[in-house]
Amino acid sequence: GGGVSGCAAACAAARAGARTFLLERNGCLGGVATASLMANVGNLLLAASGEIVTRGFALEVLDRAAAAGAASPHWKDRGVPGCTLDSERFKVVLIDMLQEAGVTILTHALAARPILEDGAVAGIFLEGKSGRQALRARAVVDATGEADLAWQAGAQTRRSRGTASTLFALEGVDVEAFIAFLKSRPEEFPAMHDFV
């Protein structure tokens, strides 16, 4: 899966020297953050004090997004309610990071089944525009978001009810003015109310 978690795993593996292949069913990277127009990834990288408590790929990708105009340059301000993303620019940030790391990316392809040998995953079968193909691998990371491959391989999984959301994009919004508006009415828009 080429969501943010899959991109993090692929980037880390490639930077560590592994020949890395990333498979994504959509035509773009980013998963829910881009294909579903998730306009705000939350700002759980900071403690209440404002200290950065999460680093690594998460910090790097948001810094890169801010530098590319895909996120507010003020995302590290604890007073800013979350990290707002421009999903189209964020797609490009992810592609750039993965290509710089040397990851091979295949979009419009679905991980159909794991290849099992002696009770271990030895690769995957994928369905793409060229039909069904087999991809052998020393290690497979299931970042599908629903544990599709892990479940098919017999790993213990659990099912949850999940959540749903209706999202849309607006153009020409003054994000800083919007944040100031929310802050001016704390009784109507309490901090972190959308994270409960």
Side-chain angles (χ1 to χ4, degrees), residues 1 21-25 106 108-117 120-137 139-142 144 148-150 152-153:
F21 187 92
L22 180 70
L23 181 69
E24 170 53 41
R25 69 178 176 170
L106 179 62
H108 296 292
L110 181 68
R113 294 200 64 78
I115 298 171
L116 298 174
E117 291 179 356
V121 177
I124 63 165
F125 291 107
L126 64 98
E127 294 283 348
K129 292 187 174 189
S130 300
R132 180 164 277 203
Q133 299 175 44
L135 178 64
R136 298 192 58 79
V140 174
V141 175
D142 182 345
T144 59
D148 294 337
L149 294 175
Q152 291 179 52

Side-chain angles (χ1 to χ4, degrees), residues 1 3-16 18 20 22 57 98 103 141-143:
V4 178
S5 296
C7 288
C11 196
R15 288 176 178 174
T20 308
L22 180 70
F57 185 84
L98 291 174
V103 175
V141 175
D142 182 345

Side-chain angles (χ1 to χ4, degrees), residues 100-194:
E100 289 166 14
V103 175
T104 300
I105 304 166
L106 179 62
T107 58
H108 296 292
L110 181 68
R113 294 200 64 78
I115 298 171
L116 298 174
E117 291 179 356
D118 299 323
V121 177
I124 63 165
F125 291 107
L126 64 98
E127 294 283 348
K129 292 187 174 189
S130 300
R132 180 164 277 203
Q133 299 175 44
L135 178 64
R136 298 192 58 79
R138 289 189 188 134
V140 174
V141 175
D142 182 345
T144 59
E146 289 89 19
D148 294 337
L149 294 175
W151 177 80
Q152 291 179 52
Q156 184 177 353
T157 59
R158 66 181 168 84
R159 185 176 173 176
S160 67
R161 205 179 72 177
T163 61
S165 178
T166 304
L167 299 171
F168 55 91
L170 295 174
E171 187 174 320
V173 175
D174 183 337
V175 175
E176 303 301 326
F178 178 64
I179 291 170
F181 172 80
L182 295 176
K183 286 182 178 180
S184 73
R185 294 173 165 77
E187 66 288 343
E188 295 175 49
F189 305 101
M192 304 298 282
H193 78 282
D194 57 344

